């Protein structure tokens, strides 16, 4: 019985960790979307080529990365 409880606690902590880490990726993407103009300006100031392509790609990767962490991949 004690072993089963520990397994459940372990699974819940792993889930909590996934949610916390995945949320960081999703939040970063959300912030980029909310402040799109400022983020584009920042990317251009850093002289990143093709900023208008790089930023949407970065947002997509962050969303996919967050979802992957949520799902355990």
């Amino acid at each position: 019985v004690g072993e089963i409880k520990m397994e459940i606690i372990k699974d819940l902590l792993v889930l909590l960790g996934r949610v916390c880490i995945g949320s960081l990726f999703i939040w970063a993407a959300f912030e980029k979307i909310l402040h799109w103009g400022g983020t584009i300006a920042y990317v251009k100031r850093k002289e990143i080529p093709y900023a208008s392509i790089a930023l949407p790609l970065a947002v997509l990767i962050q969303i996919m990365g967050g979802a992957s962490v949520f799902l355990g991949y």
Side-chain angles (χ1 to χ4, degrees):
V1 175
E3 193 172 305
I4 294 172
K5 286 182 183 179
M6 288 303 290
E7 193 66 30
I8 291 171
I9 291 172
K10 178 185 153 220
D11 290 344
L12 288 174
L13 288 174
V14 168
L15 176 62
L16 179 62
R18 284 185 186 163
V19 169
C20 289
I21 294 171
S23 296
L24 293 174
F25 286 97
I26 301 295
W27 182 257
F30 181 68
E31 284 292 311
K32 283 178 181 62
I33 293 168
L34 274 182
H35 306 290
W36 193 263
T39 306
I40 283 282
Y42 175 78
V43 170
K44 286 182 179 179
R45 271 195 315 271
K46 295 296 180 179
E47 299 178 1
I48 295 174
Y50 307 107
S52 59
I53 296 171
L55 185 57
L57 186 61
V59 168
L60 180 65
I61 290 170
Q62 285 180 321
I63 291 171
M64 289 172 41
S68 293
V69 172
F70 281 146
L71 297 174
Y73 292 104

